[in-house]
Structures are given as structure tokens and as C-alpha cells.
């Protein structure tokens, strides 16, 4: 396995050498964001609580298992990403206003999404591993620098700004051309899919479906 | 008499154990898979998971930040007496959940489905779920905590008797592929299959088969046990591994539970208990005894009984009246 340790914020140079399937560990600062944040800023037009560029250029689709202590400090256990495909529709606009170059999350998006939203903005996608590596990632978080909109969005959806060290592992899921590791693997697996069903009779009652091919993805 | 104070501490403790310590049966199952897995990416994922469990235990932090939907299963001995009765027990389990959310911490995942209101303590309408079963000739209660990830990996379908084993296999493969791609189900999973009952029964026994039976356990009915093995092998032959990468580590075990169903139907559900297969159990005895374990022993011969009578469970009616 190829492994790289990378400093945040990401630069053109560090982005360039990243191949699909490379294991990556990060150092610097990342901030969390998901539908709550995207809706509030992009759909409702609420001014972000802090200039987004000042938070770095790595946006993490996650919400930590955190709680707020009585003295106002935070208690952070594990962090795990949440499935990103649900957020694709906000991303072009998000990249434009935030200057993000990397999205960290679970499950990636489609090559279509990468080519539409990521490639024009020079961004890539890093996937968490497992996906349940919450304790490992939690250990990589050295400090909670800030949290914004805790009251407005709740613990799960608030913007947590995290200082991280040896934070990972992540896998490079999309490259600068918009190729997807998941789709590459899926294509190999698909070669065998029809034969799995060989000789198995169709059930009597069909189901309405949004996808009819077993080579399709549901995301 | 089983005291509420003891219940609250134990119920909190099993939520903590479930969140932090991966059960041995699942861990050994995955370690065996690491040895067999030939694909580099798939093996990398499995090894990262093993490292993650070690870190969770060393640091005493939750293994996965998505602490799922915390819930309880309670097995009650027929002779068990609980201080304050079962309304008190439910209240205690709600307190334990709220405290666990703050103290472990667990992620406050529970929200109202429409307003999305979050009490920040994983308590709300029908939350945590508490499911019950009973056990003859016992004076203890078992409380089981399960933190199951919630969004992917489960599906339901109404099949018909004529669809036969083929129908079962097809639907099983469908679910594996549907949620295995990109690893949405966080496989390798303990896959639970519910067959029969009414629709809701099919769902709930499938879930219990996934969450409340340990890796290596077989259904006592030899025909069902053979089907469990067959589906497991089938899942691992798809050519897919963790995260939907090429590989062969998909199903760490398959458990099937059945319930008598409508003569015209064969409802089926499939559930995946993920890389964070989190469960912990405590037994509370009448004299304050407390014992922790990880095997829920939920599907007892009594629970799987298929006749009207059960030897010695209930006193004969006339005797009960006379007492
Ligand atoms: S499915 Fe399991 S391992 Fe994956 S994110 Fe959810 S709780 Fe964690």
C-alpha cells in the first residue's frame, strides 16, 4: 500500500501526486459540515459565522460523538464520517464560496459528481476506512479549536473545527481527473454479478424499482 | 428483588461496554478473514478495523462515532421481581440511556422524524426501543444493549412459497450487492435473515438474528443451519469485500430465524450488523448478583418453541387459581 502524510491546508503540489487507493494521513486543521450547514448557508443564505477560508480547505462529512461539559468544554470520543452522496447537490456552490480542496467522508460520490463538482474546483475526495474507524480518527484529533452554530444546528450538525495530527487512515477515492476508486472496483466486481444469479428463478411478484440493473449503484 | 439502582448502573455499563469493546466472537471472525483475504485494499481495511478496536479499548473511546440507535432487549425470568415493577424498569432504562449519552459519550442520534427535534440524550417517543422476552424457571433478568448503525444494509421483501430457496438466495444477493457497494453496510457483517411471521415479525426476528446471535452460532434446525452456511459462502463468493473493494470478506456469519407465517406467503428480511457489531449483556439476580457477558442467548429453546404447552412454565390453571 502506498502511504502519504500530508500537511493541511492542501496545496496544488500535494494534491498532484495522489493516486487512487493511496492511504493518506493528515496534519493541520479540518472542519465538519453536512446537510445542516449546507442548507443554512446555501439554501437559506445565512452568513457563515466565520470566514470559511480561515478554517482551511478540508471539509469533513461527519459529526463527532461529542458532548458539552457543564464548564463549557467539550468531551470528544470518536469521529466517524457520514455518507456523502446525499450532499452532492450543494457541492459546486460550496467549493466556490469555501475554497475547499478536499472532502473527507464516507462512501464517496459518483464519477459524474466528481467531474461536475470536484474537477472544475480542483478538489478531491478522501474516504474514511472501514468505515467504523471512529476511535482511530478520534485519537488523531489533538484539539477542538472551535465549534460554531452548536445551538442552531445541534451537536451532530454543528461546525466543529479540529486540529489534527497523524489523522487517518483515509483512502484517495477520487483523483484530479474525477476517477473514482469505488467505481473502478465496482466495474471489476460487476463482471461476475450475472453469474451469481445463474439458475436462480425469478420471484413471482416483481417490485417497482428505481434501478433495474444489478450493476448499478444505489447512491 | 432486583433493585432499580443496580439496574441503572448495569444498564449504563453495558451501553459503555457495547460502545467501546468489540465482542470476541466478532473480532476472532474478522481476524480469521484477514488471514484469508488476498486483496490488498480489502486487507488494509480489515487491518485498520482491528487497529481501531485496539485503540477504542486503550483510549476508552467509542469504536465508531456513529453510535447508532441505542436500544435494549430485556429477557425476564418468569420468577423475577423488579423493584417498582416494569414501569419503573422502563424509566430506569431511559435514565441510563440519557446518562450514557452524556458520559460515554454517545452521539445524540435520536431526533423526531419530522420536526428533527433532538433532545440530545437519545431519548424520545419509543426511544430507546425496549423489546422483551421471557424465560421459564428463572429469577433473574438479562439486559442487552445493542448500538446498531441505522441507515443501510437492511431490506424487506414479500416472497411466496413458490419462490422457494431460489427466491431467498436472490433476495439475499440483492441486499448484499445493493448495500455492499462502496461499503454502505460497513461489511463484513453478521447478516441476519428473518423468514416468515407477519411482515413486522420478519423484520424484527431478522434484526435479532443479526444482533443477538454470536459468530459461530448455528440454528438448531439442521435444515436452517445448512442454509445459513450456504448463504454465508454465497455472500463471500460475490467477489466483494469491505468498502465494496474487490475481495471475499463480506459475511462473517449468517443467522436465520423463522416464524410461522401466512400459508400463502414467505416474507423475508435481511439485516447487516456492521464492523461495529456492538452488543453487551448483563444478568441481574435477585440477591444483587451482577454478571456481564457478550452472548445475549436470546433465542432459547423456549423462545423458539412451536407447541402450545411448555413443560413446567406456567402452573396449571386450576393450581394457579387455588394458590
Ligand atoms: S454501519 Fe456500523 S461501523 Fe459503519 S458507520 Fe454505521 S455504526 Fe459505524
Amino acid at each position: 500500500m502506498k502511504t502519504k502524510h500530508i500537511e493541511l491546508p492542501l496545496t496544488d503540489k500535494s494534491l498532484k501526486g495522489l493516486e487512487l487507493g493511496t492511504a493518506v494521513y493528515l496534519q493541520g486543521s479540518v472542519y465538519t459540515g453536512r446537510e445542516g450547514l449546507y442548507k443554512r448557508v446555501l439554501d437559506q443564505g445565512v452568513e457563515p459565522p466565520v470566514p470559511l477560508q480561515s478554517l482551511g480547505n478540508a471539509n469533513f462529512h461527519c459529526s463527532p460523538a461529542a458532548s458539552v461539559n457543564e464548564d463549557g468544554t467539550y468531551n470528544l470520543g470518536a469521529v466517524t464520517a457520514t455518507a456523502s452522496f446525499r450532499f452532492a447537490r450543494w457541492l459546486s456552490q460550496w467549493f466556490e464560496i469555501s475554497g475547499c480542496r478536499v472532502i473527507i467522508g464516507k462512501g464517496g460520490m459518483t464519477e459524474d459528481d466528481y467531474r461536475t463538482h470536484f474537477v472544475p474546483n480542483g478538489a478531491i475526495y478522501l474516504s474514511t476506512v472501514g468505515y467504523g474507524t471512529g476511535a482511530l480518527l478520534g485519537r488523531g484529533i489533538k484539539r477542538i479549536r472551535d465549534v460554531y452554530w452548536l445551538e442552531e444546528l445541534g451537536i451532530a450538525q454543528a461546525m466543529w473545527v479540529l486540529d489534527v495530527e497523524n489523522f487517518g487512515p483515509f483512502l484517495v477515492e477520487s483523483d484530479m481527473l474525477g476517477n473514482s476508486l469505488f467505481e473502478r472496483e465496482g466495474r471489476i466486481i460487476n463482471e461476475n454479478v450475472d453469474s451469481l444469479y445463474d439458475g436462480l428463478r425469478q420471484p413471482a411478484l416483481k417490485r417497482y424499482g428505481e434501478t433495474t440493473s444489478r450493476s448499478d449503484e444505489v447512491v | 428483588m432486583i433493585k432499580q439502582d443496580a439496574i441503572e448502573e448495569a444498564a449504563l455499563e453495558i451501553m459503555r461496554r457495547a460502545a467501546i469493546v468489540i465482542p470476541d466472537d466478532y473480532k476472532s471472525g474478522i481476524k480469521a478473514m484477514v488471514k484469508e483475504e488476498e486483496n490488498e485494499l480489502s486487507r488494509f481495511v480489515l487491518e485498520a478495523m482491528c487497529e481501531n478496536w485496539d485503540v477504542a479499548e486503550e483510549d476508552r473511546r467509542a469504536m465508531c462515532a456513529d453510535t447508532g440507535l441505542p436500544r435494549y432487549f430485556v429477557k425476564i425470568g418468569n420468577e423475577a421481581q423488579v423493584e417498582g415493577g416494569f414501569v419503573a424498569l422502563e424509566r430506569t432504562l431511559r435514565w441510563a440511556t440519557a446518562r450514557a449519552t452524556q458520559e460515554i459519550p454517545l452521539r445524540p442520534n435520536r431526533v423526531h422524524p419530522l420536526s428533527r427535534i433532538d433532545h440530545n440524550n437519545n431519548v424520545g417517543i419509543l426511544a430507546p426501543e425496549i423489546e422483551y422476552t421471557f424465560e421459564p424457571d428463572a429469577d433473574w433478568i438479562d439486559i442487552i444493549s445493542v448500538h446498531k448503525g441505522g441507515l443501510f444494509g437492511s431490506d424487506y421483501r414479500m416472497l411466496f412459497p413458490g419462490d422457494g430457496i431460489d427466491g431467498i438466495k436472490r433476495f439475499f444477493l440483492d441486499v448484499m450487492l445493493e448495500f455492499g457497494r462502496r461499503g454502505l453496510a460497513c461489511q463484513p457483517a453478521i447478516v441476519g435473515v428473518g423468514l416468515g411471521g407477519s411482515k413486522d415479525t420478519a423484520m424484527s426476528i431478522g434484526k435479532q438474528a443479526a444482533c443477538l446471535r454470536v459468530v459461530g452460532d448455528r440454528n438448531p434446525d439442521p435444515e436452517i443451519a445448512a442454509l445459513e452456511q450456504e448463504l454465508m459462502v454465497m455472500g463471500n463468493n460475490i467477489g466483494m469485500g469491505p468498502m465494496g473493494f474487490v475481495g471475499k470478506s463480506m459475511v462473517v456469519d449468517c443467522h436465520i430465524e423463522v416464524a410461522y407465517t401466512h400459508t400463502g406467503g414467505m416474507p423475508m428480511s435481511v439485516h447487516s450488523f456492521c464492523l461495529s457489531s456492538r452488543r453487551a449483556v448483563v444478568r441481574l439476580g435477585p440477591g444483587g448478583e451482577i454478571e456481564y457477558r457478550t452472548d445475549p442467548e436470546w433465542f432459547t429453546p423456549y423462545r423458539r418453541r412451536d407447541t402450545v404447552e411448555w413443560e413446567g412454565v406456567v402452573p396449571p390453571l386450576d393450581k394457579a387459581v387455588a394458590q
Side-chain angles (χ1 to χ4, degrees), chain A residues 5-33:
Chain A
H5 291 259
I6 296 177
E7 298 262 342
L8 294 169
L10 257 91
T11 60
D12 283 332
K13 197 166 148 252
S14 51
L15 275 167
K16 251 203 192 119
L18 292 180
E19 285 168 30
L20 295 189
T22 304
V24 171
Y25 295 82
L26 299 173
Q27 169 129 349
S29 104
V30 303
Y31 63 101
T32 68

Side-chain angles (χ1 to χ4, degrees), chain A residues 80 106 132, chain B residues 64 66 149 186 274 276 278:
Chain A
T80 303
K106 169 178 176 176
Chain B
C64 181
D66 185 346
C186 290
C274 59
S276 300
R278 294 161 292 191

